[in-house]
Amino acid sequence: MTSLAWERRRGSATRFWKAYRSHRAGLYGLAGLALIALLALTAPWTVGADVQSVTNAPGTALESPSAEFPLGTDQFGRSLLGLLIWGSRISLLVGLLAAVLSVAIGTLVGVLAGHYGGWLSTVVMRITDWFLVMPALVLAIVLATVMSRSVWTVVLAIGITCWPTTARLVRAQTIAVESRPYIERATALGGGHGHVMARHVLPNVMPLVLAQTTLGISAAILTEATLAFLGLGDPTVTSWGGMLQDAREAGAVSSGHWWYLAPPGIAIALVALAFTLCGRAVESVLNPRLGVGR
Amino acid sequence: MTTASTPAGVARAEEARATDGAPRTGVASGYLRHAAGKLGGALVSLFAVLVTSFFLFRIIPGDPVKAMTHGAPTSAEQLATLRRQFGLDLPLWQQFTDYCAKALTGDLGTSFQFRAPVGDLIAAKLPATLLLTGVAVVLYSALGLWLGTRSAWRHGGLGDRVNTGLALTLWSVPSFWLGLLLIIVFSVGMGPVPGLFPTGGMESGTGETGFAYVLDVAHHLVLPVVTLVAVGYAQTLLVMRSSLLDEMGGDYLTTARAKGLKDDDVRRRHAVPNALLPTVTMVFINLGHVAAGSILVETVFSWPGLGGLFYQALSVPDLPLVQGLFVVFAGAMILANLLADLLYPLLDPRVGR
Amino acid sequence: MVMVTKVPSRPLPRRPRRAARLLLAAGLTTASLATLPATTAAAEDDKSGGTTLTVAVSQSIDSLSPFLAQKLTSTSIHRLAYEYLTNYDAKDARTVPAFATEWSASADKLTWTYKIREDSTWSDGKPATAEDAAWTFNKMMTDPNAATANGSFTANFAQVTAPDPRTLVIRLKKPQATMTALDVPIVPKHVWEKVGDFSKFNNDQQFPIVGNGPFVITDFKVDQYIKLKPNKSFWRGAPKFDELVFKYYKDGDAAVAALQKGEVSFVPNLTPAQAAALKTQKDIKVNDAPGRRFYALATNPGARAQNGRTFGNGHPALLDPAVRKALFLSVDRATLVDKVFQGHAVEGEGYIPPRFGSYFWKPEDAQRRGYDPAAAAKALDDAGYRKNGEGKRLGKDGRPLAFRILCHATDPNDKAVGKYLQEWWGGLGIGLTVECLDSVSDPWVKGDYDLAFDGWSVNPDPDYVLSIHTCGTLPATPKDTGATDNFICDKEFDTLYAQQAVEYDTAKRADLVKRMQSRLYDTGYMNVMAYPNALEAYRTDQIASITTMPEAAGNLWGQDGYWSWWSAVPAASASGSEEGSGSSSTGILIGVGAAVVVVAGGLVLLRTRRRATADDRE
């Protein structure tokens, strides 16, 4: 039985990959992500944590791009290229964690509400609706202001504000899945709530969750940059949004140091784009009716 | 923020389409009941927002009195006077009941740092935000609709790929960053490009009147609007494109074409009007987002609107002002959602009638 | 110009698509908008023919009522609109006559008599008299709402009277050395006695606002601008510019860009990078002047209230002088000045910045704490704080020493210095968490911090910045808020403070103030790292000359007097400059050209793409 299920899942994964491969934009996105992930993961060996040190900074303040510093230096004389590579770690980490957190909350709420229905569903969906009408950025700003400045604060602020969308989608999907006849059979055969949710509903909403996560990371990375830019990030860690904030505080915009400002923004845009492309490809594989991608 | 708002907006539109198979009863009375239900829900939400905004902002760390007086010679007596003037010496429950009683009469309290009624401050800044976001929403909706239609009609072609690709790329760009770049290039001037546009603000303040003033404001409006449009239009484009693709699969289009109608006519008369529905819904839902979404652009371009005011109020923290703005932002979302909910069944013959 | 010749006379598509027309319209609008600045500027010149001095500001006005305003922008503007009893000389900040022409104290030091100037009139034509001054002070003494902003000045007043229109008499409860430094705007009685609730009146409804300073406030739009016109009948002589505008730029970069374009004449608070970039530009002068602020590290000396209760969660190890000394010894102030301030600061030592020459104090060699990491490590070793195997310094409780430092999230210098401190103290084996907050006041007031970045602007009279380290300013109970800066309470310092507060002899008082600073230094609770310079820039093609304070090398923004804006002389080219309009008309042409090219490009793109997509389909 289990091996059969395993076979079936592997089969569907293969089918999924085959369909995904036909989405060129999705492949570009995947390739971009692989490259960026590689850069981020190898950063300890390529640039090292030392790149963040201010007391051992190799250059002088705000140097223009040169052979030694391909992207110039920041106001402390640190290599901007090094910081950009090092900063990818925090930006990606925050984006990933925040998206996972928000999707996890959303999935939990959505499945519970969809499965149990009744007053629980009503109450939970009221709360979800209420969160949905909250201006997400405003709420995230408030949360980031309330809590101490740290990476975890940003993760929490994004995660807590972005889950309602997922919750609604997952709930709709849960209801659709549970209306299928085999669920009724499973219940009739003595499957409890936990069994139905874990064995039948969850695997069926997983693809949707995957697509949501991928799209969510893109939004989370942008929100992280936004919060850092508004001065709500942790100033002691290097992230892309933080670099933009540093550039702005150093007056790089008006003093013409565009090479300080441009790369982090481009990096954010590229990563967000890559995740969006992947997410859309996944989405359209799962739900060709949406007609996106291609 | 447009970026954060996107999934939500799309999701609502998608979900509305996904659940349109649900059984509906009655005709006109059904709609009225639907409307009444939505209205009631909106009122409950609004009340919930009022209550939460009070408690949400009381947990903000920071002593407003101390923060406001920092740097100025202040004695303990003065601090006490300020505290009394602001009502901060009262117990929390009393502050809360005062706040509720006042809020019910439309009084949002008095700002700590400007010492003016919050309602007046918001009313003073609201037109600037409405102008900026209104122009931006109209433009990016129009642009998105137009490009989305083109893309869908020739989907898979080069034009579609360029179009969608560009829109997605711009969508992935942080709006504040784009704004800063636009300032560097088009305000400060860079290389051969002269500084064409003002660096910030809404007017030159040199005493223009009449048409000259309108032009002056329009001149200041260009860069912030370009920023918002560039970052925002992808959303409309994508929804329009996908719903038009949906429609194009419909049998009636094939029939229309078989009857010998030209492509352009088929598109204009049949497919586009039907595909507009989800898009219009989404535009409405987004209307609510943009007020809060302009925080970044207003900060970057020194636009004298609500977004900038909010950020400034938060750092004191100017509690009554922050609360009031939060209520306004959330209220805008509630209103926009309500409008979308009320309009959708009217626009779509298949839903709710 | 090349672009302009490219204007396409190409016919539009026969049946222009709606969209194409839309794009075209958008392009034309853009082009016409780009031409705007020149036309509006010209119109303005025609209309007034006057000279305008525009100052970029970022801080919002909290209130235009002198009884409520506390922010620097507001008080600076009140300096321009109202006379104070005394002013500070632009040269050396000594007290000079303003609304009062002379003053004297009685033998018992408790009665001060001021002679009020005869040639000062309110801008509505009524004479300004001692009666107005007496009314202002009495209002502040009797109505707590009117004492909101400046109540600290009148707290010690027993009685204020105006026996005749030219004489003001103030009786004190106890002697007060700041009687020639009463920074209180005197308001016209005949206008203000009609005001009901002083806590609600913002003085921003009726313009022009009646005052007797060098300028008159004529218009105000929240966060957009404040406009002032010269007071032609000002007794010292009317200002030279025809208009003074404070214009809002919430973003520092936008302000600098506006300066480069000539939209504003003056920008304060530059970053080092901005200053460096502006230095090389034509018609812009960067003013790099000694500042009036000190920038310091403050340790939590164990927060306590006047009732003896201690509170807060300051790290106990910081109560040990050896630990504080070691921390301060490993702060390389020269590097901070060099790297963080890019040289635009003076290395800190004593409490009061060197620009206030008469009160400036430097530590003796014997007491000085220089940069010496080796000595710092030794001091810790000697005091029993040893490193463990991982190089972490252990506290008396056997746990690794790790401190928190409160930083202002809005101050880039705090964040930058925090990075250096982390690395320097990391070298000692001591951990440091930089806690940046928008508003640090909450943990600060509660004593929930170990170290904090601290800084104050010092007035010509140092009384206030000294008072905040006396025991008397501690909160009454842990629940209250005191005026204290960081809970320092030292008997010896308090004795000296009490002595200087009643010392009317300037030289003797200065000596006492120096002894106070020496004592403060020795307590080792604070480490003044730097005196940041005032970095500001102005356009020399708009401002021909302007007085700094101090005159030799001083700042322009946030002066203690009104000297800078009062003295500013417009440059010959400031009004309707030919050169300026010439260059901007070139700008228009380029703008129009660019827009036309964009539109043409768009059209071409549209057509080719339509063709391409059509091809795709077939």
Side-chain angles (χ1 to χ4, degrees):
Chain A
M1 179 70 195
T2 28
S3 75
L4 200 71
W6 177 243
E7 280 295 314
R8 209 173 53 220
R9 293 219 177 114
R10 207 171 54 181
S12 68
T14 322
R15 268 202 311 284
F16 174 81
W17 173 239
K18 271 205 180 121
Y20 187 94
R21 256 193 338 202
S22 68
H23 292 263
R24 210 184 320 166
L27 286 182
Y28 288 146
L30 204 59
L33 283 188
L35 184 72
I36 292 159
L38 189 73
L39 274 179
L41 290 175
T42 56
W45 300 278
T46 51
V47 292
D50 246 13
V51 74
Q52 295 185 90
S53 164
V54 284
T55 48
N56 300 321
T60 55
L62 294 171
E63 283 180 44
S64 333
S66 63
E68 192 188 357
F69 306 111
L71 293 178
T73 60
D74 73 351
Q75 62 263 53
F76 304 106
R78 301 179 291 180
S79 160
L80 280 173
L81 180 65
L83 289 175
L84 191 71
I85 295 173
W86 192 256
S88 68
R89 297 165 67 86
I90 292 296
S91 291
L92 287 177
L93 184 73
V94 170
L96 240 107
L97 288 178
V100 167
L101 178 65
S102 85
V103 171
I105 300 177
T107 309
L108 188 70
V109 170
V111 168
L112 287 178
H115 177 78
Y116 285 104
W119 63 269
L120 180 79
S121 172
T122 314
V123 169
V124 167
M125 286 336 272
R126 265 269 141 249
I127 295 172
T128 312
D129 274 350
W130 180 79
F131 261 96
L132 210 52
V133 299
M134 284 287 161
L137 179 65
V138 174
L139 205 58
I141 290 177
V142 171
L143 287 174
T145 314
V146 170
M147 296 182 277
S148 67
R149 296 284 198 279
S150 84
V151 171
W152 303 111
T153 299
V154 176
V155 169
L156 268 180
I158 302 173
I160 289 177
T161 50
C162 295
W163 60 268
T165 320
T166 315
R168 289 193 70 115
L169 289 172
V170 167
R171 174 173 164 269
Q173 181 82 2
T174 305
I175 292 172
V177 169
E178 294 206 346
S179 67
R180 289 178 198 163
Y182 71 90
I183 300 285
E184 216 170 303
R185 270 206 308 278
T187 325
L189 288 174
H193 290 298
H195 172 83
V196 171
M197 281 192 279
R199 281 302 175 84
H200 300 287
V201 176
L202 211 51
N204 277 298
V205 298
M206 256 354 236
L208 178 74
V209 167
L210 179 67
Q212 276 295 305
T213 313
T214 328
L215 288 173
I217 295 173
S218 156
I221 285 178
L222 280 167
T223 311
E224 187 269 338
T226 303
L227 292 178
F229 173 76
L230 289 174
L232 300 168
D234 183 347
T236 55
V237 290
T238 310
S239 77
W240 289 337
M243 287 175 73
L244 284 176
Q245 156 81 345
D246 285 350
R248 188 162 170 251
E249 281 184 343
V253 177
S254 54
S255 54
H257 296 95
W258 56 267
W259 57 84
Y260 192 169
L261 194 72
I266 295 173
I268 293 168
L270 285 182
V271 172
L273 180 65
F275 275 109
T276 307
L277 290 179
C278 289
R280 281 167 53 81
V282 172
E283 211 173 33
S284 76
V285 167
L286 300 172
N287 187 1
R289 190 170 155 276
L290 290 180
V292 289
R294 275 199 287 266
Chain B
M1 187 180 62
T2 40
T3 48
S5 74
T6 304
V10 175
R12 283 312 275 294
E14 293 294 346
E15 202 196 0
R17 291 200 293 149
T19 54
D20 60 9
R24 312 265 169 172
T25 51
V27 193
S29 71
Y31 177 72
L32 279 183
R33 208 176 313 139
H34 164 85
K38 293 293 176 192
L39 197 65
L43 285 177
V44 171
S45 291
L46 193 64
F47 181 73
V49 164
L50 268 178
V51 173
T52 31
S53 87
F54 179 85
F55 289 104
L56 187 60
F57 295 109
R58 297 287 143 167
I59 51 174
I60 291 184
D63 178 349
V65 170
K66 199 70 177 165
M68 280 174 50
T69 53
H70 185 79
T74 324
S75 63
E77 292 78 34
Q78 281 167 272
L79 293 175
T81 307
L82 280 170
R83 211 151 268 169
R84 187 175 44 71
Q85 284 176 3
F86 295 158
L88 287 172
D89 53 340
L90 301 172
L92 193 63
W93 64 267
Q94 201 171 339
Q95 291 182 37
F96 179 65
T97 47
D98 283 1
Y99 164 81
C100 285
K102 279 183 172 173
L104 286 178
T105 61
D107 179 0
L108 290 170
T110 305
S111 153
F112 293 168
Q113 56 174 338
F114 295 104
R115 294 173 168 278
V118 169
D120 291 2
L121 284 169
I122 292 178
K125 301 258 183 166
L126 188 63
T129 295
L130 283 183
L131 178 69
L132 174 64
T133 54
V135 171
V137 168
V138 167
L139 283 184
Y140 79 57
S141 304
L143 189 70
L145 281 177
W146 174 54
L147 291 176
T149 312
R150 293 186 60 87
S151 254
W153 209 243
R154 277 138 205 192
H155 74 94
L158 180 70
D160 174 31
R161 289 210 299 273
V162 171
N163 232 335
T164 323
L166 185 66
L168 279 177
T169 309
L170 283 173
W171 184 24
S172 310
V173 164
S175 58
F176 57 88
W177 178 75
L178 185 65
L180 289 175
L181 284 195
L182 288 178
I183 289 183
I184 293 189
V185 178
F186 293 108
S187 285
V188 183
M190 190 177 178
V193 184
L196 289 176
F197 297 101
T199 42
M202 192 171 90
E203 53 181 284
S204 310
T206 40
E208 289 89 351
T209 47
F211 188 62
Y213 178 74
V214 173
L215 275 185
D216 183 43
V217 172
H219 189 211
H220 284 77
L221 201 57
V222 174
L223 290 185
V225 165
V226 165
T227 309
L228 283 174
V229 169
V231 176
Y233 83 96
Q235 205 176 349
T236 330
L237 184 153
L238 294 177
V239 173
M240 184 64 194
R241 182 179 176 277
S242 70
S243 52
L244 194 53
L245 283 181
D246 259 10
E247 291 298 328
M248 280 160 56
D251 294 339
Y252 69 97
L253 278 194
T254 327
T255 321
R257 253 186 234 151
K259 283 200 305 197
L261 287 175
K262 277 201 211 110
D263 271 4
D264 269 7
D265 290 338
V266 173
R267 166 165 53 165
R268 206 167 297 149
R269 296 227 191 108
H270 299 284
V272 172
N274 283 330
L276 268 176
L277 281 172
T279 321
V280 169
T281 315
M282 199 203 61
V283 167
F284 263 101
I285 291 172
N286 274 342
L287 270 179
H289 281 283
V290 284
S294 58
I295 290 179
L296 289 168
V297 173
E298 285 186 5
T299 311
V300 170
F301 288 100
S302 312
W303 191 262
L306 296 179
L309 189 66
F310 177 74
Y311 188 59
Q312 193 182 340
L314 200 59
S315 60
V316 170
D318 188 343
L319 296 175
L321 189 52
V322 178
Q323 283 163 10
L325 283 168
F326 190 78
V327 169
V328 168
F329 288 147
M333 301 259 304
I334 293 171
L335 188 69
N337 274 279
L338 180 66
L339 282 178
D341 281 338
L342 294 183
L343 276 177
Y344 197 79
L346 292 182
L347 292 175
D348 190 348
R350 290 167 299 186
V351 181
R353 258 202 265 178
Chain C
M1 291 312 99
V2 182
M3 288 172 171
V4 180
T5 60
K6 269 194 186 164
V7 173
S9 55
R10 179 185 311 170
L12 292 167
R14 218 161 21 87
R15 193 175 56 117
R17 293 296 179 87
R18 228 177 342 164
R21 267 180 291 170
L22 215 141
L23 185 63
L24 183 68
L28 287 180
T29 324
T30 320
S32 62
L33 290 178
T35 66
L36 259 167
T39 47
T40 51
E44 180 211 0
D45 286 342
D46 290 344
K47 205 164 48 206
S48 61
T51 49
T52 303
L53 174 64
T54 313
V55 177
V57 289
S58 61
Q59 191 188 44
S60 293
I61 294 283
D62 47 354
S63 172
L64 279 181
S65 161
F67 297 99
L68 299 176
Q70 281 169 318
K71 291 194 177 173
L72 179 64
T73 315
S74 322
T75 53
S76 299
I77 284 166
H78 285 137
R79 231 334 153 185
L80 299 172
Y82 296 100
E83 272 285 28
Y84 299 12
L85 283 183
T86 55
N87 200 344
Y88 305 98
D89 193 277
K91 264 191 217 71
D92 51 10
R94 83 195 140 78
T95 304
V96 292
F99 194 45
T101 50
E102 53 187 276
W103 45 85
S104 58
S106 64
D108 65 356
K109 296 184 174 184
L110 289 176
T111 306
W112 281 76
T113 310
Y114 297 81
K115 272 271 163 272
I116 300 299
R117 161 175 313 285
E118 286 182 27
D119 52 357
S120 179
T121 50
W122 298 108
S123 52
D124 60 359
K126 298 219 166 64
T129 65
E131 184 64 25
D132 294 306
W135 186 85
T136 305
F137 287 124
N138 275 311
K139 190 74 201 170
M140 289 166 63
M141 288 154 62
T142 51
D143 182 350
N145 288 330
T148 307
N150 297 311
S152 61
F153 289 109
T154 54
N156 182 37
F157 287 13
Q159 190 191 33
V160 182
T161 52
D164 67 76
R166 299 292 149 221
T167 311
L168 178 75
V169 179
I170 300 179
R171 276 210 307 111
L172 300 173
K173 294 173 192 158
K174 59 182 199 297
Q176 182 171 335
T178 59
M179 288 307 286
T180 57
L182 295 172
D183 291 338
V184 179
I186 305 296
V187 301
K189 177 188 173 191
H190 62 278
V191 175
W192 283 81
E193 63 189 355
K194 295 179 194 125
V195 174
D197 185 350
F198 273 67
S199 70
K200 297 228 162 65
F201 180 71
N202 279 325
N203 196 22
D204 54 5
Q205 297 305 318
Q206 274 191 325
F207 294 99
I209 295 173
V210 178
N212 61 341
F215 288 92
V216 179
I217 305 172
T218 53
D219 198 5
F220 168 55
K221 225 174 189 178
V222 177
D223 283 359
Q224 293 206 45
Y225 56 74
I226 305 130
K227 291 183 182 177
L228 299 99
K229 290 261 192 254
N231 176 0
K232 295 289 181 201
S233 61
F234 186 55
W235 64 270
R236 204 187 285 275
K240 318 288 187 302
F241 271 93
D242 296 317
E243 192 175 33
L244 174 62
V245 178
F246 293 88
K247 200 172 165 191
Y248 276 89
Y249 289 90
K250 290 283 171 189
D251 182 82
D253 282 317
V256 171
L259 180 78
Q260 289 168 324
K261 293 177 69 182
E263 281 173 25
V264 297
S265 327
F266 174 87
V267 176
N269 305 329
L270 300 176
T271 69
Q274 288 167 339
L278 287 175
K279 255 184 197 143
T280 60
Q281 298 201 0
K282 200 171 142 266
D283 294 334
I284 289 180
K285 181 171 161 47
V286 173
N287 185 36
D288 183 6
R292 47 190 289 188
R293 278 187 73 225
F294 68 80
Y295 181 65
L297 276 180
T299 60
N300 183 345
R304 61 190 138 152
Q306 297 202 30
N307 65 5
R309 290 275 186 75
T310 57
F311 55 97
N313 60 13
H315 200 294
L318 285 173
L319 300 179
D320 185 342
V323 174
R324 296 198 303 264
K325 186 176 173 202
L327 291 180
F328 292 169
L329 278 177
S330 46
V331 174
D332 183 358
R333 298 188 302 261
T335 297
L336 292 181
V337 167
D338 196 36
K339 295 286 184 184
V340 175
F341 295 97
Q342 302 283 318
H344 300 291
V346 175
E347 191 180 328
E349 286 189 295
Y351 188 69
I352 293 172
R355 84 176 255 174
F356 301 104
S358 49
Y359 297 116
F360 177 64
W361 168 88
K362 266 176 125 136
E364 304 287 329
D365 283 340
Q367 62 184 151
R368 184 189 309 276
R369 293 184 293 260
Y371 175 57
D372 193 345
K378 186 169 178 304
L380 286 174
D381 284 339
D382 292 349
Y385 300 91
R386 305 222 161 251
K387 277 190 178 181
N388 69 4
E390 295 160 24
K392 296 249 191 302
R393 190 76 61 174
L394 297 183
K396 299 273 157 150
D397 56 358
R399 288 190 310 179
L401 279 183
F403 300 124
R404 304 158 293 170
I405 187 161
L406 266 185
C407 112
H408 302 79
T410 45
D411 188 344
N413 290 335
D414 282 10
K415 293 184 257 184
V417 174
K419 287 189 201 259
Y420 283 93
L421 294 180
Q422 273 182 328
E423 293 183 27
W424 284 326
W425 293 350
L428 286 180
I430 295 175
L432 179 70
T433 316
V434 183
E435 290 183 344
C436 291
L437 296 171
D438 262 345
S439 170
V440 296
S441 52
D442 203 35
W444 195 309
V445 168
K446 290 187 180 137
D448 290 339
Y449 67 98
D450 298 334
L451 294 119
F453 290 105
D454 195 6
W456 287 86
S457 262
V458 179
N459 290 324
D461 189 296
D463 181 79
Y464 183 72
V465 287
L466 294 171
S467 76
I468 55 181
H469 298 301
T470 57
C471 304
T473 55
L474 291 176
T477 69
K479 281 195 182 323
D480 291 303
T481 307
T484 183
D485 181 37
N486 55 347
F487 304 104
I488 292 176
C489 172
D490 179 67
K491 284 263 158 52
E492 196 178 327
F493 185 86
D494 274 19
T495 316
L496 290 167
Y497 177 79
Q499 286 174 13
Q500 68 82 34
V502 298
E503 181 56 68
Y504 287 2
D505 182 295
T506 359
K508 280 189 195 152
R509 184 167 172 230
D511 185 55
L512 284 166
V513 168
K514 287 180 188 170
R515 281 170 61 195
M516 293 173 73
Q517 294 180 72
S518 173
R519 176 61 199 164
L520 192 64
Y521 191 89
D522 287 341
T523 58
Y525 291 118
M526 288 178 79
N527 185 24
V528 175
M529 295 182 287
Y531 313 109
N533 286 4
L535 262 183
E536 43 200 20
Y538 62 88
R539 290 200 70 94
T540 49
D541 57 352
Q542 296 184 5
I543 303 173
S545 73
I546 189 164
T547 305
T548 61
M549 182 175 179
E551 228 165 0
N555 59 321
L556 296 167
W557 173 247
Q559 289 184 352
D560 296 301
Y562 40 62
W563 310 111
S564 47
W565 314 127
W566 172 75
S567 70
V569 177
S573 60
S575 68
S577 91
E578 291 304 312
E579 186 195 347
S581 56
S583 67
S584 59
S585 65
T586 335
I588 301 163
L589 286 178
I590 297 175
V592 172
V596 168
V597 169
V598 166
V599 172
L603 289 177
V604 171
L605 194 77
L606 267 175
R607 299 192 67 185
T608 47
R609 211 175 49 195
R610 198 174 303 140
R611 210 170 301 132
T613 47
D615 290 347
D616 274 357
R617 250 183 320 146
E618 271 129 32

